[in-house]
Amino acid sequence: MPCLIELKNITFGYPGAMPVLDELNFDFDTDATGLVGDNGSGKTTLLHLIMGLINPQSGEMLFRGKPLTTDADWLELRKTVGFVFQNPDDQLFMPTVIEDVTFGPLNLGHSQATAKEMALQTLETLGLGNFADRLTHKLSGGEKRLVAMATVLSMQPEALILDEPTNDLDQDTRHRLIHILRDLPQHLLIVSHDWDFLDHVVDRLAVLDEGKISYRDFSVLHVHKHAHLAGDADHHHE
Ligand SMILES: Nc1ncnc2c1ncn2[C@@H]1O[C@H](COP(=O)(O)OP(=O)(O)OP(=O)(O)O)[C@@H](O)[C@H]1O
Ligand SMILES: [Mg+2]
């Protein structure tokens, strides 16, 4: 089986600025991958590039082993890979939750009845069964984030890319999300600063630093708690 998505020597910079991604190599395949990196290191940029929302200045991107050249290739990629934006307001644009979650399946050519059924089923899976008739613009930040995820999952993509999915989530909802993601059959690529969350969900960690990706054994970066006397004063660990 060829790799789902492969990036080769990708360089990208915003106009008038230094490259954010510099001869970067990355593969997104069958596992659940966490992508970490400092603020501004280019994680969101990398995800936008994978979805074809921006184009690299140089390098090559392969989808199932083939270069993406035509609009049809990109359409196929976007059908296969669902993308949940960092900001839910970029994803939600219909008046009600059910309209937003039905929009994707309708767009894929399903009938109104089937699309609604797919939407309701997805909302149910996410524990949002009673949200169907809520007004999207009146949802809380965390509720919006889950509904944004529902709009993507309702299309039943093969792979899912999430940009900081635990932002704005309370502890209960965050735990619910961990269980939901672990039960999903989709390949996952998740950007997060929440390492404890990643520890529960992903099996591989990619680190973006100075425009390049390196892979780490997750055990090196796992979160742990410790306690000792004078722990509330400034101190160093060797
Ligand atoms: N549309 C844009 N135009 C110009 N510069 C941009 C644009 N979007 C992002 N940048 C810059 O590119 C760099 C990478 O931004 P990006 O949003 O990809 O980082 P990030 O790793 O996702 O950060 P965060 O963890 O804060 O979400 C930053 O220096 C940012 O200021
Ligand atoms: Mg970002």
Short mmCIF file of all heavy atoms in Angstrom, two decimals, residues 64-116:
data_model
loop_
_atom_site.label_atom_id
_atom_site.label_comp_id
_atom_site.label_asym_id
_atom_site.label_seq_id
_atom_site.Cartn_x
_atom_site.Cartn_y
_atom_site.Cartn_z
N ARG A 64 -1.40 8.86 -2.08
CA ARG A 64 -1.40 7.43 -2.44
C ARG A 64 -0.34 7.13 -3.49
O ARG A 64 -0.58 6.43 -4.48
CB ARG A 64 -2.77 6.97 -2.93
CG ARG A 64 -3.83 7.07 -1.84
CD ARG A 64 -5.04 6.22 -2.19
NE ARG A 64 -5.94 6.13 -1.08
CZ ARG A 64 -7.18 6.64 -1.08
NH1 ARG A 64 -7.64 7.28 -2.12
NH2 ARG A 64 -7.94 6.51 -0.02
N GLY A 65 0.83 7.72 -3.29
CA GLY A 65 1.98 7.43 -4.14
C GLY A 65 2.04 8.21 -5.44
O GLY A 65 3.00 8.08 -6.20
N LYS A 66 1.00 9.02 -5.73
CA LYS A 66 0.99 9.76 -7.00
C LYS A 66 1.03 11.26 -6.76
O LYS A 66 0.37 11.76 -5.84
CB LYS A 66 -0.28 9.45 -7.80
CG LYS A 66 -0.37 8.02 -8.24
CD LYS A 66 -1.43 7.89 -9.34
CE LYS A 66 -1.85 6.44 -9.50
NZ LYS A 66 -3.24 6.18 -9.09
N PRO A 67 1.79 12.01 -7.60
CA PRO A 67 1.81 13.47 -7.44
C PRO A 67 0.42 14.06 -7.65
O PRO A 67 -0.36 13.57 -8.47
CB PRO A 67 2.76 13.94 -8.55
CG PRO A 67 3.43 12.73 -9.06
CD PRO A 67 2.58 11.54 -8.74
N LEU A 68 0.11 15.10 -6.87
CA LEU A 68 -1.18 15.78 -7.04
C LEU A 68 -1.01 16.82 -8.14
O LEU A 68 -0.29 17.81 -7.95
CB LEU A 68 -1.57 16.46 -5.73
CG LEU A 68 -2.00 15.51 -4.62
CD1 LEU A 68 -1.44 15.93 -3.29
CD2 LEU A 68 -3.52 15.43 -4.56
N THR A 69 -1.66 16.61 -9.26
CA THR A 69 -1.49 17.57 -10.36
C THR A 69 -2.79 18.25 -10.76
O THR A 69 -2.86 19.46 -10.81
CB THR A 69 -0.86 16.87 -11.60
OG1 THR A 69 -1.49 15.60 -11.78
CG2 THR A 69 0.64 16.65 -11.40
N THR A 70 -3.85 17.48 -10.95
CA THR A 70 -5.09 18.08 -11.44
C THR A 70 -6.03 18.47 -10.28
O THR A 70 -5.85 18.02 -9.14
CB THR A 70 -5.86 17.07 -12.34
OG1 THR A 70 -6.24 15.96 -11.50
CG2 THR A 70 -4.98 16.57 -13.47
N ASP A 71 -7.04 19.28 -10.62
CA ASP A 71 -8.07 19.64 -9.63
C ASP A 71 -8.77 18.39 -9.11
O ASP A 71 -9.14 18.31 -7.94
CB ASP A 71 -9.11 20.58 -10.26
CG ASP A 71 -8.56 21.98 -10.43
OD1 ASP A 71 -7.45 22.26 -9.92
OD2 ASP A 71 -9.23 22.80 -11.09
N ALA A 72 -8.94 17.41 -10.02
CA ALA A 72 -9.62 16.16 -9.63
C ALA A 72 -8.81 15.42 -8.56
O ALA A 72 -9.40 14.84 -7.63
CB ALA A 72 -9.82 15.27 -10.85
N ASP A 73 -7.46 15.46 -8.68
CA ASP A 73 -6.62 14.82 -7.66
C ASP A 73 -6.87 15.45 -6.29
O ASP A 73 -7.00 14.78 -5.28
CB ASP A 73 -5.12 15.00 -7.98
CG ASP A 73 -4.71 14.28 -9.25
OD1 ASP A 73 -5.42 13.35 -9.65
OD2 ASP A 73 -3.68 14.68 -9.84
N TRP A 74 -6.93 16.80 -6.27
CA TRP A 74 -7.11 17.52 -5.00
C TRP A 74 -8.50 17.26 -4.43
O TRP A 74 -8.68 17.15 -3.23
CB TRP A 74 -6.86 19.02 -5.19
CG TRP A 74 -5.40 19.33 -5.20
CD1 TRP A 74 -4.63 19.60 -6.30
CD2 TRP A 74 -4.51 19.35 -4.08
NE1 TRP A 74 -3.32 19.79 -5.92
CE2 TRP A 74 -3.22 19.65 -4.57
CE3 TRP A 74 -4.68 19.15 -2.71
CZ2 TRP A 74 -2.11 19.76 -3.74
CZ3 TRP A 74 -3.58 19.25 -1.88
CH2 TRP A 74 -2.31 19.55 -2.39
N LEU A 75 -9.48 17.17 -5.33
CA LEU A 75 -10.85 16.89 -4.90
C LEU A 75 -10.90 15.53 -4.20
O LEU A 75 -11.53 15.37 -3.15
CB LEU A 75 -11.77 16.90 -6.13
CG LEU A 75 -13.23 17.16 -5.86
CD1 LEU A 75 -13.41 18.56 -5.30
CD2 LEU A 75 -14.05 17.00 -7.14
N GLU A 76 -10.20 14.56 -4.80
CA GLU A 76 -10.15 13.21 -4.24
C GLU A 76 -9.50 13.24 -2.85
O GLU A 76 -9.96 12.60 -1.92
CB GLU A 76 -9.37 12.30 -5.21
CG GLU A 76 -9.39 10.83 -4.85
CD GLU A 76 -10.79 10.22 -4.76
OE1 GLU A 76 -11.69 10.71 -5.46
OE2 GLU A 76 -10.96 9.28 -3.96
N LEU A 77 -8.41 14.01 -2.75
CA LEU A 77 -7.73 14.12 -1.45
C LEU A 77 -8.67 14.72 -0.40
O LEU A 77 -8.77 14.23 0.73
CB LEU A 77 -6.46 14.98 -1.57
CG LEU A 77 -5.69 15.18 -0.25
CD1 LEU A 77 -4.17 15.11 -0.50
CD2 LEU A 77 -6.00 16.49 0.42
N ARG A 78 -9.38 15.78 -0.78
CA ARG A 78 -10.26 16.44 0.20
C ARG A 78 -11.46 15.57 0.58
O ARG A 78 -12.05 15.75 1.64
CB ARG A 78 -10.72 17.80 -0.33
CG ARG A 78 -9.56 18.77 -0.44
CD ARG A 78 -10.02 20.22 -0.45
NE ARG A 78 -8.91 21.07 -0.85
CZ ARG A 78 -8.74 21.53 -2.09
NH1 ARG A 78 -9.64 21.28 -3.03
NH2 ARG A 78 -7.69 22.29 -2.37
N LYS A 79 -11.84 14.64 -0.31
CA LYS A 79 -12.90 13.69 0.04
C LYS A 79 -12.38 12.64 1.02
O LYS A 79 -13.12 12.12 1.85
CB LYS A 79 -13.37 12.95 -1.23
CG LYS A 79 -14.53 13.60 -1.93
CD LYS A 79 -15.03 12.62 -2.97
CE LYS A 79 -15.89 13.31 -4.00
NZ LYS A 79 -16.19 12.43 -5.13
N THR A 80 -11.10 12.34 0.90
CA THR A 80 -10.50 11.26 1.69
C THR A 80 -10.07 11.75 3.07
O THR A 80 -10.14 11.02 4.05
CB THR A 80 -9.26 10.69 0.94
OG1 THR A 80 -9.67 10.35 -0.38
CG2 THR A 80 -8.68 9.48 1.64
N VAL A 81 -9.60 13.00 3.11
CA VAL A 81 -9.03 13.54 4.35
C VAL A 81 -9.90 14.68 4.86
O VAL A 81 -10.08 15.68 4.19
CB VAL A 81 -7.60 14.08 4.09
CG1 VAL A 81 -6.98 14.57 5.39
CG2 VAL A 81 -6.72 13.01 3.45
N GLY A 82 -10.45 14.51 6.06
CA GLY A 82 -11.25 15.57 6.66
C GLY A 82 -10.35 16.49 7.48
O GLY A 82 -9.44 16.03 8.15
N PHE A 83 -10.61 17.79 7.41
CA PHE A 83 -9.77 18.76 8.12
C PHE A 83 -10.60 19.60 9.07
O PHE A 83 -11.56 20.25 8.67
CB PHE A 83 -9.06 19.66 7.09
CG PHE A 83 -8.19 20.72 7.71
CD1 PHE A 83 -7.27 20.39 8.70
CD2 PHE A 83 -8.26 22.04 7.29
CE1 PHE A 83 -6.45 21.36 9.28
CE2 PHE A 83 -7.45 23.02 7.85
CZ PHE A 83 -6.55 22.67 8.86
N VAL A 84 -10.23 19.57 10.35
CA VAL A 84 -10.93 20.39 11.35
C VAL A 84 -10.03 21.58 11.68
O VAL A 84 -8.94 21.41 12.23
CB VAL A 84 -11.25 19.57 12.62
CG1 VAL A 84 -12.05 20.43 13.60
CG2 VAL A 84 -12.04 18.31 12.27
N PHE A 85 -10.50 22.77 11.35
CA PHE A 85 -9.70 24.00 11.50
C PHE A 85 -9.38 24.32 12.96
O PHE A 85 -10.12 23.93 13.87
CB PHE A 85 -10.45 25.19 10.91
CG PHE A 85 -10.42 25.28 9.41
CD1 PHE A 85 -11.35 24.60 8.65
CD2 PHE A 85 -9.46 26.05 8.77
CE1 PHE A 85 -11.33 24.69 7.25
CE2 PHE A 85 -9.43 26.14 7.39
CZ PHE A 85 -10.36 25.46 6.63
N GLN A 86 -8.29 25.08 13.16
CA GLN A 86 -7.92 25.54 14.50
C GLN A 86 -9.04 26.40 15.10
O GLN A 86 -9.34 26.33 16.27
CB GLN A 86 -6.59 26.32 14.43
CG GLN A 86 -6.06 26.78 15.77
CD GLN A 86 -4.57 27.13 15.73
OE1 GLN A 86 -3.93 27.03 14.69
NE2 GLN A 86 -4.02 27.53 16.84
N ASN A 87 -9.64 27.24 14.23
CA ASN A 87 -10.71 28.13 14.69
C ASN A 87 -12.06 27.62 14.16
O ASN A 87 -12.29 27.65 12.96
CB ASN A 87 -10.41 29.55 14.15
CG ASN A 87 -11.47 30.53 14.57
OD1 ASN A 87 -12.48 30.16 15.21
ND2 ASN A 87 -11.28 31.78 14.23
N PRO A 88 -12.96 27.15 15.06
CA PRO A 88 -14.23 26.59 14.58
C PRO A 88 -15.04 27.56 13.74
O PRO A 88 -15.83 27.14 12.88
CB PRO A 88 -14.99 26.25 15.87
CG PRO A 88 -14.00 26.27 16.96
CD PRO A 88 -12.85 27.13 16.53
N ASP A 89 -14.86 28.88 13.96
CA ASP A 89 -15.63 29.85 13.18
C ASP A 89 -15.26 29.79 11.69
O ASP A 89 -16.01 30.27 10.84
CB ASP A 89 -15.41 31.27 13.71
CG ASP A 89 -16.14 31.47 15.04
OD1 ASP A 89 -17.21 30.85 15.21
OD2 ASP A 89 -15.62 32.20 15.89
N ASP A 90 -14.09 29.20 11.37
CA ASP A 90 -13.73 29.01 9.95
C ASP A 90 -14.50 27.86 9.33
O ASP A 90 -14.48 27.67 8.11
CB ASP A 90 -12.22 28.71 9.82
CG ASP A 90 -11.37 29.92 10.11
OD1 ASP A 90 -11.90 31.05 10.02
OD2 ASP A 90 -10.18 29.75 10.44
N GLN A 91 -15.15 27.04 10.17
CA GLN A 91 -15.78 25.81 9.69
C GLN A 91 -17.31 25.91 9.66
O GLN A 91 -17.95 25.28 8.85
CB GLN A 91 -15.40 24.67 10.63
CG GLN A 91 -15.45 23.31 10.00
CD GLN A 91 -14.09 22.65 10.01
OE1 GLN A 91 -13.33 22.80 10.94
NE2 GLN A 91 -13.79 21.92 8.96
N LEU A 92 -17.85 26.74 10.56
CA LEU A 92 -19.30 26.76 10.74
C LEU A 92 -19.89 27.99 10.06
O LEU A 92 -19.46 29.10 10.33
CB LEU A 92 -19.63 26.79 12.24
CG LEU A 92 -19.00 25.65 13.05
CD1 LEU A 92 -19.24 25.85 14.54
CD2 LEU A 92 -19.55 24.30 12.60
N PHE A 93 -20.85 27.76 9.18
CA PHE A 93 -21.39 28.94 8.49
C PHE A 93 -22.89 28.86 8.25
O PHE A 93 -23.49 29.76 7.70
CB PHE A 93 -20.67 29.16 7.15
CG PHE A 93 -20.64 27.95 6.27
CD1 PHE A 93 -21.61 27.79 5.29
CD2 PHE A 93 -19.66 26.98 6.43
CE1 PHE A 93 -21.61 26.67 4.48
CE2 PHE A 93 -19.65 25.85 5.61
CZ PHE A 93 -20.63 25.70 4.64
N MET A 94 -23.52 27.75 8.69
CA MET A 94 -24.97 27.65 8.50
C MET A 94 -25.67 28.09 9.80
O MET A 94 -25.06 28.07 10.87
CB MET A 94 -25.37 26.20 8.18
CG MET A 94 -24.74 25.66 6.91
SD MET A 94 -25.32 26.49 5.43
CE MET A 94 -26.75 25.48 5.05
N PRO A 95 -26.96 28.47 9.70
CA PRO A 95 -27.65 28.96 10.91
C PRO A 95 -27.76 27.92 12.01
O PRO A 95 -27.53 28.23 13.18
CB PRO A 95 -29.05 29.35 10.40
CG PRO A 95 -28.93 29.47 8.93
CD PRO A 95 -27.80 28.60 8.49
N THR A 96 -28.09 26.66 11.66
CA THR A 96 -28.28 25.66 12.72
C THR A 96 -27.25 24.54 12.61
O THR A 96 -26.66 24.32 11.56
CB THR A 96 -29.68 25.01 12.64
OG1 THR A 96 -29.78 24.31 11.40
CG2 THR A 96 -30.79 26.02 12.74
N VAL A 97 -27.08 23.84 13.73
CA VAL A 97 -26.12 22.74 13.80
C VAL A 97 -26.43 21.67 12.76
O VAL A 97 -25.54 21.24 12.01
CB VAL A 97 -26.11 22.14 15.23
CG1 VAL A 97 -25.36 20.82 15.27
CG2 VAL A 97 -25.51 23.14 16.22
N ILE A 98 -27.69 21.27 12.66
CA ILE A 98 -28.02 20.18 11.74
C ILE A 98 -27.73 20.59 10.28
O ILE A 98 -27.25 19.77 9.49
CB ILE A 98 -29.49 19.68 11.92
CG1 ILE A 98 -29.75 18.41 11.11
CG2 ILE A 98 -30.50 20.75 11.58
CD1 ILE A 98 -29.02 17.19 11.58
N GLU A 99 -27.99 21.86 9.95
CA GLU A 99 -27.70 22.30 8.57
C GLU A 99 -26.20 22.24 8.30
O GLU A 99 -25.76 21.84 7.22
CB GLU A 99 -28.20 23.73 8.36
CG GLU A 99 -29.71 23.83 8.23
CD GLU A 99 -30.16 25.28 8.29
OE1 GLU A 99 -30.12 25.88 9.40
OE2 GLU A 99 -30.54 25.81 7.23
N ASP A 100 -25.41 22.65 9.29
CA ASP A 100 -23.96 22.63 9.13
C ASP A 100 -23.45 21.20 8.96
O ASP A 100 -22.58 20.93 8.13
CB ASP A 100 -23.27 23.27 10.34
CG ASP A 100 -22.57 24.57 9.99
OD1 ASP A 100 -22.13 24.69 8.83
OD2 ASP A 100 -22.47 25.45 10.85
N VAL A 101 -23.97 20.27 9.77
CA VAL A 101 -23.44 18.90 9.76
C VAL A 101 -23.98 18.12 8.56
O VAL A 101 -23.37 17.16 8.10
CB VAL A 101 -23.75 18.19 11.10
CG1 VAL A 101 -23.13 16.81 11.16
CG2 VAL A 101 -23.23 19.02 12.28
N THR A 102 -25.13 18.55 8.02
CA THR A 102 -25.69 17.90 6.83
C THR A 102 -25.03 18.39 5.55
O THR A 102 -25.01 17.71 4.54
CB THR A 102 -27.23 18.18 6.75
OG1 THR A 102 -27.81 17.85 8.01
CG2 THR A 102 -27.90 17.35 5.68
N PHE A 103 -24.45 19.59 5.62
CA PHE A 103 -23.90 20.24 4.42
C PHE A 103 -22.88 19.36 3.69
O PHE A 103 -22.94 19.19 2.47
CB PHE A 103 -23.25 21.58 4.82
CG PHE A 103 -22.71 22.34 3.65
CD1 PHE A 103 -23.54 23.17 2.90
CD2 PHE A 103 -21.37 22.22 3.29
CE1 PHE A 103 -23.04 23.86 1.80
CE2 PHE A 103 -20.87 22.91 2.20
CZ PHE A 103 -21.70 23.73 1.46
N GLY A 104 -21.93 18.76 4.44
CA GLY A 104 -20.87 17.96 3.83
C GLY A 104 -21.41 16.75 3.08
O GLY A 104 -21.14 16.59 1.88
N PRO A 105 -22.22 15.90 3.76
CA PRO A 105 -22.78 14.74 3.06
C PRO A 105 -23.62 15.13 1.83
O PRO A 105 -23.55 14.47 0.79
CB PRO A 105 -23.66 14.07 4.12
CG PRO A 105 -23.06 14.48 5.42
CD PRO A 105 -22.48 15.85 5.20
N LEU A 106 -24.37 16.25 1.92
CA LEU A 106 -25.15 16.71 0.77
C LEU A 106 -24.21 17.05 -0.38
O LEU A 106 -24.45 16.70 -1.54
CB LEU A 106 -25.93 17.99 1.14
CG LEU A 106 -27.31 17.83 1.80
CD1 LEU A 106 -27.89 19.21 2.08
CD2 LEU A 106 -28.25 17.02 0.91
N ASN A 107 -23.11 17.71 -0.03
CA ASN A 107 -22.12 18.12 -1.01
C ASN A 107 -21.47 16.92 -1.70
O ASN A 107 -21.02 17.01 -2.84
CB ASN A 107 -21.04 18.93 -0.28
CG ASN A 107 -20.57 20.10 -1.10
OD1 ASN A 107 -21.27 20.53 -2.02
ND2 ASN A 107 -19.39 20.59 -0.79
N LEU A 108 -21.41 15.80 -0.96
CA LEU A 108 -20.83 14.58 -1.54
C LEU A 108 -21.83 13.86 -2.44
O LEU A 108 -21.52 12.83 -3.01
CB LEU A 108 -20.37 13.63 -0.43
CG LEU A 108 -19.15 14.05 0.39
CD1 LEU A 108 -18.88 13.03 1.49
CD2 LEU A 108 -17.93 14.20 -0.49
N GLY A 109 -23.05 14.39 -2.53
CA GLY A 109 -24.04 13.83 -3.45
C GLY A 109 -25.08 12.94 -2.79
O GLY A 109 -25.89 12.32 -3.49
N HIS A 110 -25.08 12.86 -1.45
CA HIS A 110 -26.11 12.05 -0.79
C HIS A 110 -27.46 12.77 -0.83
O HIS A 110 -27.50 14.00 -0.90
CB HIS A 110 -25.72 11.79 0.66
CG HIS A 110 -24.51 10.92 0.80
ND1 HIS A 110 -24.51 9.57 0.54
CD2 HIS A 110 -23.23 11.21 1.15
CE1 HIS A 110 -23.30 9.07 0.72
NE2 HIS A 110 -22.50 10.05 1.09
N SER A 111 -28.54 11.99 -0.78
CA SER A 111 -29.89 12.60 -0.77
C SER A 111 -30.08 13.35 0.54
O SER A 111 -29.36 13.10 1.52
CB SER A 111 -30.95 11.51 -0.88
OG SER A 111 -30.97 10.76 0.32
N GLN A 112 -31.07 14.23 0.56
CA GLN A 112 -31.37 15.01 1.77
C GLN A 112 -31.60 14.07 2.96
O GLN A 112 -31.06 14.28 4.05
CB GLN A 112 -32.60 15.89 1.51
CG GLN A 112 -33.03 16.75 2.67
CD GLN A 112 -32.07 17.93 2.94
OE1 GLN A 112 -31.58 18.54 2.01
NE2 GLN A 112 -31.79 18.19 4.21
N ALA A 113 -32.39 13.01 2.73
CA ALA A 113 -32.73 12.09 3.83
C ALA A 113 -31.49 11.36 4.34
O ALA A 113 -31.26 11.28 5.56
CB ALA A 113 -33.77 11.08 3.35
N THR A 114 -30.66 10.86 3.41
CA THR A 114 -29.45 10.13 3.82
C THR A 114 -28.48 11.07 4.52
O THR A 114 -27.88 10.72 5.55
CB THR A 114 -28.75 9.51 2.58
OG1 THR A 114 -29.71 8.77 1.85
CG2 THR A 114 -27.60 8.62 2.98
N ALA A 115 -28.32 12.28 3.96
CA ALA A 115 -27.38 13.25 4.53
C ALA A 115 -27.80 13.59 5.96
O ALA A 115 -26.97 13.66 6.87
CB ALA A 115 -27.33 14.51 3.67
N LYS A 116 -29.11 13.77 6.16
CA LYS A 116 -29.59 14.12 7.51
C LYS A 116 -29.35 12.96 8.47
O LYS A 116 -28.95 13.16 9.62
CB LYS A 116 -31.08 14.48 7.45
CG LYS A 116 -31.56 15.04 8.76
CD LYS A 116 -32.89 15.75 8.66
CE LYS A 116 -33.26 16.30 10.05
NZ LYS A 116 -34.62 16.75 10.14
#
